Amino acid sequence: MAKTVSFAAVHFCVAFSVGYLMTGDIMIGGALAMVEPAVNTVAYYFHEKVWNRFKNVRPKHTATTLYPRKALSA
C-alpha cells in the first residue's frame, strides 16, 4: 500500500504541473491534480492485483528449465 501512496503523491505533482503548464490556470491545474491521480491510483491498485494474479498463474519457465545446462565434466 505504501507503493500506491507514493505513486499517488508523485502523480499528483505531475498532474498539477502538466495541467498548470497547459492552461496557465492554477485552479484547473489543481482540479486536474485532484481528480486524475485519484482515479488513476485506484486503477493502478486494481491493475497490480490483476497483474499479480496472472503472474501467479503463468507457468514459471525460465531459460534454465527450458534449456538445462549440460553437466560440466571434471
Side-chain angles (χ1 to χ4, degrees):
M1 187 63 154
K3 181 180 173 184
T4 303
V5 172
S6 172
F7 176 78
V10 170
H11 199 143
F12 175 85
C13 293
V14 170
F16 175 79
S17 298
V18 170
Y20 176 71
L21 290 172
M22 288 183 74
T23 65
D25 189 332
I26 290 177
M27 294 301 287
I28 292 174
L32 213 104
M34 297 303 290
V35 174
E36 197 273 338
V39 171
N40 208 359
T41 300
V42 172
Y44 176 78
Y45 174 78
F46 287 109
H47 174 268
E48 286 287 304
K49 289 182 85 60
V50 170
W51 184 266
N52 288 331
R53 178 172 287 167
F54 281 111
K55 186 171 73 173
N56 292 334
V57 171
R58 261 189 2 226
K60 297 190 189 285
H61 292 141
T62 63
T64 57
T65 59
L66 291 175
Y67 306 102
R69 289 184 172 170
K70 292 181 182 178
L72 297 174
S73 52

